[in-house]
Amino acid sequence: MSLITMSQKELNRLEAIQKIRDSRLSVVDAARLLNISRSQVHRLLQAYDRNGAAGFASGKRGRPSNRRHSDELRNAVLDLVRERYHDFGPTLAREKLIELHQIAVGKETLRQWMTEAGIWKSRRERKQRIFQPRGRRDCFGELIQIDGSHHWWFENRGPKCALLVYIDDATGKLLHLRFALSENTFDYLLATKAYLERWGKPLAFYSDKHGVFRTTHASEMDRTSGLTQFGRALYELNIDIICANTPQAKGRVERANRTLQDRLVKELRLRGINTLEEANAFAPEFIADFNVRFGKEPRNPKDMHRPLAVHENLDGAMCRKEVRTVSQALTLRYAKVIFILDPTDYAKTLPRQKVIVCDYPDGRLEIMHEGTLLPYRTFDTLRSVHRAPVVENKRLDDILSIVADMQEGREQKRRQRGPSRAGQKDHMFGIPDGSVSNGYQKRGRKPGRRTDFTNDPEVNAKRQKALARIAACD
């Protein structure tokens, strides 16, 4: 037998036995070295004398296992997998074989069978997707990549928040930064409004598939019906938005996020900045320094930013717009609130008409019909059952913090509303020591008949007087 086919354990034993035969090692020392008994050493010596080095190899080597499945079962299983479970993984295919066909095969055994038959490929054998580099755009303002980076920007000095990043594809320069609690429509509208006021309108924004930028309920009949509020605002200003299919496609802003998570975090630490307001005030200074260090000159010096047209209203576009129908009573509902239009001559002509509710990021709310502003007043807040919210993955941190605050508020109300339970002995009345219930004392209520069983002296005195009056009447 070749020494290459022997295991390391067998090679060690062969070396020790050869040393014994050459009188360089005793049997006792060999037993101690190999951690076996002296009898086992003598058996190895006999095997070496009979067969040489081949006497140390296991006799089972090269033979099929006694627990090996038959070829008939293997072929039957592979036929079933090819016919019914060709696109199943080994784990799921094994479950179905046991559940539907009563065939029990080990998961790893089935994996080896499927791999040898070419039905399944391991992760190492699967081809990794290739992302070839894309050249920069030629002109400044031709394509602006935007993204939100969730990170502990203030480390342990402040809350985890999102940084909205606007970076030019041609030059790699940061054009705007805004710190916000999360990636939401209002903060993107505010950031984009500030960007447009500073630089003008680019040809297009390049983003990911976040719910702020892309909706899954697009309509083929009307282009605007399938747009998000952010997409609708850009459409009104004649700016296009392109959604990347993979993070690698917008690698410029992704790499910038990684750089910012290193450099910007340390700059905020050195300056002792702990709040969103302070960070947003520091952002322009950081942007200027960043662009000097990492900015590139575009291949074409032309600036593709366009000024706002005369008919374009930036403030009117950068808001949330919802369509509502006016009732016969000149009312409409928005955000769980009933609004009543003032009964002007113009408003009286609007029942069953569509109006637009403009909800601005700064908290203002306007109701308009064909460009005419309608005065209104708030009537009441609608009540609704609390339902589980549908949340984007990137907003989960913000929603969980809101949920925690809501739960803490509810717990405080319940503690204030309910009787004290500390040291309670009488579970029927919430009375820890037999005195009058704390719940009754808080509400100013008089104790009922059941408080006659208390040990309070004042209550017992009243009880004795009442019993005396009853006895006198009898």
Side-chain angles (χ1 to χ4, degrees):
M1 176 176 290
S2 174
L3 297 180
I4 300 177
T5 61
M6 298 179 66
S7 66
Q8 185 62 43
K9 179 180 177 181
E10 293 167 348
L11 290 173
N12 293 337
R13 290 186 174 186
L14 175 60
E15 181 182 3
I17 295 302
Q18 288 176 344
K19 288 182 179 180
I20 293 175
R21 284 292 178 241
D22 296 339
S23 301
R24 293 183 294 159
L25 188 69
S26 67
V27 173
V28 175
D29 293 338
R32 188 183 304 109
L33 179 65
L34 299 176
N35 196 22
I36 58 178
S37 65
R38 286 185 296 173
S39 300
Q40 180 67 13
V41 174
H42 285 294
R43 284 193 289 270
L44 292 176
L45 287 169
Q46 295 173 4
Y48 180 75
D49 293 338
R50 289 194 306 267
N51 303 316
F56 292 88
S58 173
K60 297 180 180 180
R61 183 167 298 164
R63 298 181 182 179
S65 171
N66 294 332
R67 301 176 60 185
R68 180 176 181 269
H69 293 290
S70 64
D71 293 337
E72 292 78 6
L73 176 62
R74 179 179 183 274
N75 295 332
V77 169
L78 290 177
D79 290 341
L80 277 174
V81 172
R82 288 191 186 96
E83 180 181 354
R84 304 183 61 176
Y85 313 116
H86 61 92
D87 57 344
F88 283 40
T91 302
L92 182 57
R94 175 180 178 271
E95 294 175 3
K96 295 305 176 183
L97 288 174
I98 296 175
E99 178 183 349
L100 303 178
H101 307 281
Q102 291 74 47
I103 299 177
V105 180
K107 179 179 64 177
E108 292 304 321
T109 300
L110 182 60
R111 187 189 305 277
Q112 292 177 7
W113 289 355
M114 294 174 64
T115 302
E116 293 172 359
I119 304 174
W120 177 258
K121 290 185 179 180
S122 64
R123 292 187 177 180
R124 292 182 179 179
E125 294 176 349
R126 298 174 198 168
K127 291 184 178 180
Q128 297 293 332
R129 188 173 179 182
I130 299 175
F131 297 96
Q132 294 184 336
R134 173 184 62 82
R136 297 174 181 266
R137 305 305 302 176
D138 293 334
C139 301
F140 176 69
E142 189 175 356
L143 184 68
I144 306 300
Q145 297 190 19
I146 58 177
D147 190 31
S149 176
H150 291 257
H151 190 64
W152 290 97
W153 295 102
F154 308 115
E155 298 172 305
N156 59 347
R157 307 185 311 277
K160 186 178 183 180
C161 59
L163 177 63
L164 310 185
V165 182
Y166 292 64
I167 187 170
D168 179 59
D169 187 82
T171 62
K173 293 182 178 180
L174 292 177
L175 301 184
H176 188 68
L177 295 176
R178 177 178 175 82
F179 289 88
L181 289 177
S182 65
E183 287 187 87
N184 58 79
T185 301
F186 279 144
D187 278 300
Y188 267 111
L189 290 175
L190 285 172
T192 306
K193 180 181 177 181
Y195 173 88
L196 296 178
E197 290 175 342
R198 170 66 178 85
W199 300 100
K201 300 188 303 181
L203 288 185
F205 285 108
Y206 197 37
S207 69
D208 55 17
K209 295 181 180 179
H210 193 279
V212 173
F213 312 115
R214 179 177 178 269
T215 179
T216 57
H217 304 287
S219 172
E220 297 180 357
M221 301 297 295
D222 181 11
R223 180 181 178 184
T224 59
S225 64
L227 296 177
T228 63
Q229 290 291 333
F230 185 81
R232 186 266 317 150
L234 296 184
Y235 179 70
E236 291 185 6
L237 299 174
N238 194 22
I239 304 173
D240 284 294
I241 183 168
I242 305 171
C243 294
N245 196 40
T246 61
Q248 291 80 0
K250 54 184 185 65
R252 195 88 57 214
V253 69
E254 295 289 351
R255 289 188 293 272
N257 287 338
R258 188 167 55 187
T259 303
L260 293 173
Q261 290 176 5
D262 177 40
R263 286 176 169 262
L264 182 54
V265 168
K266 295 171 181 175
E267 292 289 346
L268 296 176
R269 184 200 308 160
L270 293 175
R271 287 166 172 76
I273 297 176
N274 308 325
T275 63
L276 300 178
E277 294 75 13
E278 294 175 348
N280 285 325
F282 168 68
E285 178 183 346
F286 179 85
I287 290 173
D289 180 73
F290 183 94
N291 292 340
V292 170
R293 296 176 183 273
F294 303 106
K296 306 291 182 181
E297 291 298 325
R299 288 195 292 264
N300 190 329
K302 182 179 181 181
D303 187 354
M304 299 300 292
H305 285 101
R306 299 160 293 161
L308 291 172
V310 178
H311 64 277
E312 292 174 340
N313 184 0
L314 181 59
D315 187 62
M318 292 298 163
C319 67
R320 183 181 184 88
K321 294 184 178 181
E322 297 283 351
V323 178
R324 292 294 184 269
T325 302
V326 180
S327 68
Q328 292 290 349
L330 299 182
T331 63
L332 57 97
R333 298 181 179 184
Y334 174 75
K336 301 180 183 179
V337 178
I338 298 178
F339 297 92
I340 302 178
L341 301 180
D342 290 349
T344 61
D345 293 338
Y346 185 78
K348 291 179 181 179
T349 64
L350 298 180
R352 304 302 177 189
Q353 298 293 320
K354 303 289 185 182
V355 296
I356 298 177
V357 180
C358 301
D359 192 355
Y360 293 91
D362 58 5
R364 293 180 294 120
L365 192 140
E366 296 177 349
I367 302 177
M368 305 186 67
H369 179 262
E370 296 181 353
T372 302
L373 190 63
L374 304 174
Y376 65 89
R377 70 181 188 274
T378 302
F379 176 68
D380 194 10
T381 302
L382 301 177
R383 298 176 181 230
S384 63
V385 179
H386 176 72
R387 296 185 297 174
V390 179
V391 183
E392 288 286 341
N393 182 39
K394 291 188 176 181
R395 295 188 58 198
L396 189 58
D397 292 336
D398 185 46
I399 293 298
L400 286 177
S401 63
I402 295 175
V403 168
D405 294 339
M406 292 171 56
Q407 291 177 351
E408 180 63 24
R410 289 198 295 264
E411 288 296 332
Q412 291 179 359
K413 289 183 180 179
R414 290 170 182 172
R415 287 195 293 266
Q416 295 172 359
R417 187 165 54 235
S420 176
R421 302 296 183 188
Q424 176 179 322
K425 296 181 180 179
D426 191 341
H427 69 278
M428 292 181 63
F429 314 115
I431 306 172
D433 56 354
S435 60
V436 180
S437 167
N438 291 336
Y440 285 118
Q441 291 176 345
K442 288 181 179 180
R443 292 168 175 79
R445 300 178 183 175
K446 295 181 179 179
R449 290 185 178 180
R450 291 183 177 178
T451 57
D452 292 342
F453 299 98
T454 181
N455 294 326
D456 189 348
E458 182 179 357
V459 175
N460 283 333
K462 293 181 180 179
R463 174 176 176 272
Q464 294 298 333
K465 291 180 181 180
L467 292 176
R469 287 197 299 270
I470 293 174
C473 294
D474 293 340

